[in-house]
Each structure stands twice: as C-alpha cells, then as structure tokens.
C-alpha cells in the first residue's frame, strides 16, 4: 500500500485495469438512458456556495447501477460578491453489485475553470479478497474548492485504499490509508478507521465508532484551505439502512470530538439521509442530503450542508 500511495498514476492504472472487464460486459447491452438532471449543491456558514448541474447520455445502459456514457456539467461558485464558473465534460461508468456493493464507479473528465484546465477523476473499485474480507482502491483529482484556491487554480490528487474485515457475527472493522497531494506542494496523510456493530440487524441499524486523523507537511496559513499541522476526530454514530416498498433508505446520526493541533477538544456533528429508488425501473432516482459541523479557518464551529441528486430515464 505504501508504494501505491507514492505513485498515484500506478494506482489509477490498476483501477482502470480492474474496470475493463466490466466495461466490456456493459457494451453487450443495447439499452439507452438519459442522465438528467444531476444536481450537486454545497453551502456553509462562510457564505461559500457551490452548485453543479449536468445532463448525460448513457448509450450502454442496463440499470441504475450498470451503465457507461458521457456527461456535461456546469459548476457555479460564489461567496458574497465573488463568483466563479467552470464547465466540464466527463466519461462516466458504474457497475455495482447491489447485493454486496462491490464493483466500480468512475468519472473521468476535462474541466475548464477560467484560464485553468484540469483533467479530473473520481474513481473507486471495490473487490472481494476472500470471504469476509473486502478491499477498495480510490483515486480523486479535482480543484480545491475554496475562493483562494479556485482563483489560483490549485488542484489536488487524493488516493489510497481501504480494507474491510468481518470479525465475527455482527462485528466489522474498516481501515483506510490515504494521501492528499496539493499543487501548492503540501502533502496530507490520512488514517481512518471504523468499528461497526450490527445493533439491530433485522431493522438494518448499526452502531459505529469512527476515528480519523491527518497531518499536513506545510502549516502555512495561506488561506488556500484549512491545513493545520495535525487534526483528529473520534465519533460515535448510529446508522440505518432499510428497504421500504423497494426503495432503499439510509441515514446516519453522528456526534464526536475533534482536536486541532494543541487546541482544546471541541464538538463535531454529522447527519446524513439517503434515498434510492429501485434500480431496474424506467426512472431511477438517487438523492443524498447531509449536514455537518467541524473545524476550519475561523474556529471549530464550521457548518456545512450538501445535496446530491440525480434522475435516470431509460428508453
């Protein structure tokens, strides 16, 4: 894993190799679909807002979790009187086993932000190593979405992997190693872990103990993004996943404590709600809504909200 983290291009190539058989299989399907609209919205208490809206054409379509196509998006950012726009064209592909969540999601695009151009990516590939053990590789490349970073064209690569191990009946542990490399020469190393207990398995309710921490190689407060020397968070969360009349509904409520450098510990919160319609219908709806509180430039009470929604019409 350490060698992979040093070579993101190698990690990306391995993921593409893993996706190839799924793409070949998708080409045997002759159904088409329209991905319209897709909307992603984000806002925070610093008055920063980001809205991304797009449409797509999926000439290789089987259902809401097996498709390949192209997508065009418009990105709009604003904060008080400041505004910035970007446009993007992407190749999108997804092939997920709905029974176990294994498979791939991939988005490879060309983004134009003012005078800055970026080939960006959002890719992950999950696989089974043996019974009770799954692994996932991920690679993301995009602009840093803060006002200063968007004006300066600062980008990042984020890559790594995770391992999920079933310990015993009702108990699962997940560990993740990742690394951010920013174009302003900062490197951020991540460690994350989850211990999950199936509290009420018939109701789809589990209890999670979460830990995450990272360290930055540069601690200059240049205003590009929040980059303390060290950050860590421990959180207790209750999660639910339940099928209701063929819809898959899930949610999470989490409360925790965070520590920034040597500052006193403060509170964090995370709330998420997700709804997905049956993937085999002629119209597929997916939506995720979230709210959180954590630390940023101005202190520990940074609040943010996000919404991701998409509709797929097959024909």
């Amino acid at each position: 894993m350490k060698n992979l983290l040093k070579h993101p291009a190698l990690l990306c190539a391995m993921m593409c190799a893993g996706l190839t058989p799924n793409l070949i299989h998708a080409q045997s399907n002759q159904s088409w679909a329209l991905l319209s609209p897709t909307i992603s919205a984000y806002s925070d208490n610093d008055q920063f807002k980001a809205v991304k809206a797009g449409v797509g054409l999926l000439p290789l379509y089987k259902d809401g979790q097996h498709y390949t196509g192209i997508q065009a998006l418009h990105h709009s950012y604003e904060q008080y009187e400041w505004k910035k726009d970007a446009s993007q064209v992407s190749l999108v592909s997804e092939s997920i086993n709905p029974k176990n969540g294994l498979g791939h999601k991939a988005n490879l695009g060309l983004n134009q932000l003012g005078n800055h151009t970026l080939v960006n990516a959002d890719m992950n590939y999950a696989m089974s190593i043996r019974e009770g053990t799954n692994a996932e590789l991920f690679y993301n490349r995009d602009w840093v979405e803060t006002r200063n970073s968007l004006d300066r064209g600062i980008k990042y690569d984020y890559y790594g992997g995770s391992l999920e191990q079933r310990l015993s009946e009702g108990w699962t542990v997940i560990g993740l190693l990742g690394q951010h490399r920013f174009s302003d020469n900062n490197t951020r190393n991540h460690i994350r872990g989850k211990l999950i207990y199936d509290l009420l398995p018939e109701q789809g309710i589990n209890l999670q103990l979460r830990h995450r921490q990272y360290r930055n190689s540069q601690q200059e407060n240049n205003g590009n993004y929040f980059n303390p020397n060290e950050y860590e968070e421990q959180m207790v969360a209750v999660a639910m996943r339940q099928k209701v009349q063929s819809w898959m509904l899930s949610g999470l409520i989490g409360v925790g404590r965070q520590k920034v450098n040597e500052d006193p510990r403060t509170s964090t919160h995370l709330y998420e709600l997700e709804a997905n319609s049956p993937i085999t219908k002629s119209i597929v709806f997916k939506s995720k809504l979230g709210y959180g509180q954590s630390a940023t430039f101005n202190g520990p009470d940074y609040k943010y909200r996000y919404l991701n929604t998409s509709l797929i019409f097959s024909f």
Side-chain angles (χ1 to χ4, degrees), residues 23 26 57-61 66-70 91-94 104:
L23 293 177
L57 184 63
L58 309 175
L60 304 174
Y61 184 82
H66 298 85
Y67 59 80
T68 299
I70 56 174
L91 171 67
V92 295
S93 179
E94 181 172 328
H104 81 264

Side-chain angles (χ1 to χ4, degrees), residues 33-294:
L34 184 66
L35 182 62
S36 176
T38 61
I39 298 175
S40 174
Y42 178 94
S43 64
D44 61 28
N45 60 347
D46 291 332
Q47 303 304 311
F48 181 85
K49 299 176 183 178
V51 177
K52 303 175 184 179
V55 297
L57 184 63
L58 309 175
L60 304 174
Y61 184 82
K62 179 181 178 182
D63 57 44
Q65 288 187 312
H66 298 85
Y67 59 80
T68 299
I70 56 174
Q71 184 181 26
L73 297 119
H74 178 265
H75 300 187
S76 176
Y77 307 97
E78 62 178 85
Q79 187 174 32
Y80 300 108
E81 77 290 346
W82 172 87
K83 291 185 178 181
K84 200 85 170 179
D85 293 294
S87 57
Q88 179 173 320
V89 177
S90 297
L91 171 67
V92 295
S93 179
E94 181 172 328
S95 180
I96 300 294
N97 185 334
K99 295 181 179 179
N100 55 27
L102 301 180
H104 81 264
K105 292 182 180 181
N107 186 314
L108 184 65
L110 183 65
N111 186 288
Q112 186 68 42
L113 175 71
N115 296 324
H116 305 286
T117 303
L118 177 68
V119 176
N120 59 5
D122 185 0
M123 308 171 67
N124 64 71
Y125 180 61
M127 55 193 159
S128 175
I129 297 178
R130 61 186 182 187
E131 185 176 357
T133 305
N134 297 329
E136 181 177 358
L137 299 174
F138 60 88
Y139 176 76
N140 303 99
R141 176 180 172 87
D142 211 337
W143 304 115
V144 178
E145 294 184 337
T146 66
R147 177 174 176 173
N148 283 1
S149 294
L150 290 169
D151 281 339
R152 299 170 184 176
I154 295 175
K155 59 184 179 291
Y156 69 85
D157 293 275
Y158 179 45
Y159 45 87
S162 66
L163 193 66
E164 176 183 329
Q165 178 64 53
R166 188 82 169 178
L167 298 177
S168 62
E169 186 67 27
W171 291 91
T172 304
V173 64
I174 303 174
L176 178 148
L177 292 177
Q179 186 176 80
H180 263 111
R181 286 196 176 184
F182 299 90
S183 59
D184 61 359
N185 299 317
N186 181 37
T187 299
R188 177 181 294 174
N189 295 316
H190 296 261
I191 298 175
R192 299 187 181 187
K194 292 182 187 178
L195 179 63
I196 304 172
Y197 173 64
D198 293 329
L199 187 63
L200 298 171
E202 293 185 0
Q203 288 74 38
I205 297 175
N206 65 66
L207 181 66
Q208 302 181 9
L209 298 179
R210 298 180 165 202
H211 172 83
R212 68 183 179 110
Q213 66 182 69
Y214 61 78
R215 176 189 289 267
N216 289 289
S217 64
Q218 298 182 7
Q219 293 84 48
E220 297 180 5
N221 188 11
N222 53 22
N224 291 337
Y225 48 86
F226 179 56
N227 63 329
N229 180 21
E230 293 182 345
Y231 177 89
E232 67 174 64
E233 178 193 59
Q234 293 79 38
M235 177 174 284
V236 177
V238 177
M240 176 276 296
R241 182 176 174 85
Q242 186 68 259
K243 183 172 287 189
V244 179
Q245 295 183 349
S246 298
W247 282 64
M248 183 59 69
L249 305 178
S250 59
L252 181 141
I253 298 175
V255 294
R257 303 285 286 175
Q258 65 184 348
K259 186 173 178 60
V260 180
N261 297 327
E262 300 302 321
D263 296 342
R265 291 186 179 274
T266 54
S267 299
T268 63
H269 303 273
L270 179 63
Y271 309 97
E272 293 181 330
L273 182 62
E274 186 172 0
N276 295 320
S277 70
I279 63 173
T280 57
K281 299 296 184 180
S282 58
I283 299 178
V284 178
F285 173 80
K286 301 179 182 180
S287 186
K288 186 173 183 178
L289 177 67
Y291 170 85
Q293 176 185 323
S294 61

